[in-house]
Amino acid sequence: MRGDVIVVLLVGEDGKVIDARAKSGPLVFAREAVIAAKQWEFQPLLVDGKPKKLLVKITFRFNS
């Protein structure tokens, strides 16, 4: 079984994931993609030297 899941993340000013939601892809993989994405941490986005929230879209590719 294989498929792609697109997950949209809201990343906070500290670089940690505030929210993650699967937007498309097989439901059988969506839960695992969201769980994985929530564990990630990003370099904070700086605008004029100040950290800002950021929306990120990630595609998870599953092959079994």
Side-chain angles (χ1 to χ4, degrees):
M1 182 177 247
R2 58 173 91 188
D4 292 347
V5 177
I6 296 175
V7 177
V8 176
L9 309 175
L10 176 59
V11 180
E13 291 93 351
D14 60 357
K16 294 182 180 176
V17 176
I18 296 170
D19 189 38
R21 296 176 191 250
K23 291 298 180 183
S24 67
L27 292 178
V28 66
F29 298 131
R31 181 176 180 269
E32 296 305 318
V34 169
I35 289 170
K38 285 182 176 180
Q39 296 177 34
W40 291 8
E41 193 167 331
F42 295 82
Q43 187 75 24
L45 171 68
L46 298 178
V47 177
D48 295 327
K50 296 178 184 176
K52 299 290 181 183
K53 290 181 182 175
L54 175 68
L55 282 176
V56 178
K57 182 173 75 170
I58 300 171
T59 301
F60 288 82
R61 183 155 288 147
F62 290 87
N63 292 304
S64 61

